[in-house]
Amino acid sequence: STGCHVVACIREAGNVDLHGTRVVVFRHESSGDLILSFRGTKTGKQVWTDLMMRKINVCLDDFLAHPHTKDGQTTNASHIEDMLTKGEITKVRLLDLLPKIGEELPIYLKDARKSGHNVSGMGRIHFGFWSSYNRVRRQIHNIVREELLARPGRLLLTGHSLGGCQATLCAYDMSRWVLPTVKRQMISLHAYNRAQLDSLQISCYTFGSPRVGGPSFAYAFKQVVPDAQRVVCDGDVITSGPPVYWGYYHVHHENIIDFTGTIRVEPSLIEKKFSLKKRNNPQSHFKETYLDVVKKSFSPHMSEEDLLRLLKKKYGLKEE
């Protein structure tokens, strides 16, 4: 038993499945942690989402999309969303569903309070990741606020592959909007003590996550979500993209686990060059591979001889 119970299973708004985004919300009984787990790439829609690599401008202050579209049209995202959910329209541009600066605020932000982080300007974010996260954003805000008010605790965001990218965006969003709002509500209701307020922290642990956006977003994310760990299985090809020469940068902190369970925290360029694999192995990205190496990192039940044989096999060295 993991000691968790399922709080909610989140699908896209109105069950109109444009990206195939899925989120499961858990509560860990003993610690009180509220855990959001985002599903990785599994369906054709999610593969298509991964391939939407053009970037969109997002305001790092409000965490809303820039209003200007290529053809100069602007729309009210909340109105379009409601029409789609009610079945009044069946075809819609994904861009029209994104809340934008200058529109009426989405209902889940109208009574919300932002954090005091000093972030501003525009960040460039992968369109598919941003669009797919926004398809479940309203439900996440509502559920997380309700759960943390009922039982304050740490909020933990996690996911594998595409799910890791969505968890990264969600962590920024929760730290920027939801945690400050919950703290304000607790204080206004006089339903808190100092320990409960202090327990409202946020962590983001992702596995096999590609790059999410440009350098401005990566820098802002480091400020807004200091407790972030990006776990990479040695050789994972998916974590090498989208490429840096397209303007994509990884968020912090990188932890690379090899096939022995050895963890390298924020490895240097020299370590990556000479002691780690090139990131060209699709098998290293499989969820089962991550489960295997993470388990080994906790309890590597093998002798020195077995460990040596495993190292030689995985790194292409000949047996003596």
Side-chain angles (χ1 to χ4, degrees), residues 78-195:
S78 298
H79 179 61
I80 298 294
E81 179 74 64
D82 290 340
M83 292 175 64
L84 180 67
T85 302
K86 293 175 182 177
E88 297 174 5
I89 57 175
T90 57
K91 293 183 179 181
V92 64
R93 298 187 312 170
L94 292 175
L95 193 62
D96 293 340
L97 293 170
L98 299 176
K100 303 174 188 68
I101 305 167
E103 291 181 355
E104 182 181 2
L105 278 176
I107 189 168
Y108 53 86
L109 294 182
K110 283 188 176 179
D111 65 341
R113 169 174 290 185
K114 283 186 292 189
S115 69
H117 297 103
N118 184 25
V119 290
S120 60
M122 290 289 168
R124 302 271 287 165
I125 293 175
H126 184 292
F127 181 85
F129 302 157
W130 178 253
S131 178
S132 60
Y133 169 62
N134 273 272
R135 294 291 298 140
V136 293
R137 191 175 181 184
R138 180 193 300 185
Q139 300 97 297
I140 288 174
H141 272 251
N142 293 339
I143 290 171
V144 171
R145 284 171 61 170
E146 180 180 342
E147 282 293 317
L148 290 182
L149 275 173
R151 186 183 178 186
R154 182 177 68 145
L155 180 61
L156 171 59
L157 294 309
T158 189
H160 170 257
S161 191
L162 167 62
C165 299
Q166 294 163 341
T168 298
L169 295 172
C170 186
Y172 188 100
D173 192 20
M174 297 296 100
S175 183
R176 190 71 175 135
W177 281 106
V178 172
L179 261 61
T181 301
V182 171
K183 289 179 180 179
R184 183 190 64 181
Q185 289 179 294
M186 289 173 61
I187 292 171
S188 66
L189 294 172
H190 302 287
Y192 75 97
N193 57 47
R194 174 52 58 182

